[in-house]
Amino acid sequence: MNGKEAAGKEAIREVRDGMTVGLGTGSTVYYFLQALAGKVASGLKITGVATSTKTIELAESWKIPMKSLNDVDHIDVTVDGADECDAALDGIKGGGGALLYEKLVAEASDRRVWIVDSRKYVDQLGHFPLPVEVVPFGWKKVYTRLKQDGHRPELRRNDAGKTYVTDAGHYILDLHLDRIPDAGALADKLDHITGVVEHGLFVGMTDTILIGYPDGHVDTLNRD
Ligand code: 5RP
């Protein structure tokens, strides 16, 4: 057992028969999907809505019934990972590059639950580089603007050294900020830069965080 597995398995308590369930992306969500697939195999009836091609492939390989976001009225609960989160239940997402679809699915969800291992629960957001998804056209202009503002952007590359391209065909600039004193203010600023499609700051967008520890226990943080 590790913290990711503990949190991922615990999140199955969020799912009831008949629900439409948003399925996040990443190595922690893997454990949730595994547990969910087990319940589906035993007769649980749910419909999944994925946040990335990786998650669709995994869910379909495990025979979880899926629909696209366009084909559902609403989502009952979404279970997703995060790269950093704090006591205000704000966080950074997008380490896996799925931030745009993750935010779209989160916004369509009645309830949002994050699953993280305990190392991701921090006093101050910003040590993890903040992903900013940008349109390829003129991306260097956005890069220069962010650099001039002291946000230390870096174009994300894939393992082969090529420019990383998201599921939606965009690039990612990772901002090496070290600390984000005011997540709401930075989110607002990024929301207003032309060429920025979305950013990985999720402010006030999560209801519950399940924090898993290496010994298998899980703490629950709820929004008041
Ligand atoms: C992908 C994400 C993931 O949820 C985040 O990167 C956490 O991933 P992992 O569970 O593999 O640590 O935001 O875009």
Side-chain angles (χ1 to χ4, degrees):
M1 183 72 78
N2 60 51
K4 291 187 177 194
E5 185 174 359
K9 288 186 167 164
E10 182 70 18
I12 204 72
R13 75 183 195 204
E14 296 286 337
V15 181
R16 308 265 179 283
D17 212 52
M19 278 185 164
T20 299
V21 183
L23 307 177
T25 295
S27 55
T28 316
V29 165
Y30 174 92
Y31 293 108
F32 170 67
L33 288 178
Q34 195 177 44
L36 187 62
K39 295 282 181 191
V40 168
S42 311
L44 179 78
K45 299 269 185 283
I46 60 105
T47 301
V49 176
T51 53
S52 63
T53 50
K54 271 189 197 154
T55 294
I56 293 172
E57 284 166 14
L58 195 55
E60 287 185 345
S61 75
W62 281 342
K63 312 253 180 297
I64 297 173
M66 300 294 290
K67 281 189 178 176
S68 70
L69 183 55
N70 276 339
D71 294 333
V72 297
D73 291 337
H74 78 290
I75 296 170
D76 294 292
V77 63
T78 286
V79 176
D80 202 349
D83 299 302
E84 272 185 356
C85 57
D86 66 11
L89 282 80
D90 295 332
I92 292 178
K93 289 182 49 53
L99 59 143
L100 175 60
Y101 291 180
E102 289 172 336
K103 208 173 261 190
L104 281 165
V105 168
E107 285 182 354
S109 304
D110 295 344
R111 178 166 162 68
R112 284 79 56 104
V113 177
W114 283 352
I115 47 178
V116 297
D117 80 54
S118 53
R119 291 168 301 180
K120 294 179 170 179
Y121 184 57
V122 296
D123 290 333
Q124 167 82 67
L125 297 178
H127 181 68
F128 191 92
L130 175 65
V132 176
E133 187 157 345
V134 297
V135 290
F137 180 83
W139 70 268
K140 284 186 183 171
K141 300 294 179 236
V142 180
Y143 174 95
T144 303
R145 156 89 196 266
L146 292 169
K147 193 171 175 194
Q148 282 168 348
D149 287 357
H151 294 320
R152 299 167 66 199
E154 181 186 5
L155 181 67
R156 188 179 294 187
R157 298 187 183 278
N158 61 24
D159 291 343
K162 298 257 173 14
T163 302
Y164 178 89
V165 179
T166 68
D167 280 350
H170 303 130
Y171 296 168
I172 290 182
L173 302 176
D174 289 301
L175 308 188
H176 296 268
L177 301 166
D178 291 336
R179 50 193 304 275
I180 301 174
D182 187 341
L186 180 59
D188 191 51
K189 172 183 177 173
L190 294 170
D191 283 339
H192 290 91
I193 295 179
T194 305
V196 169
V197 180
E198 198 43 83
H199 55 79
L201 276 171
F202 282 54
V203 178
M205 291 188 67
T206 295
D207 303 292
T208 293
I209 304 180
L210 303 178
I211 304 171
Y213 291 82
D215 67 1
H217 91 271
V218 176
D219 283 345
T220 302
L221 273 185
N222 286 314
R223 188 172 294 283
D224 296 333

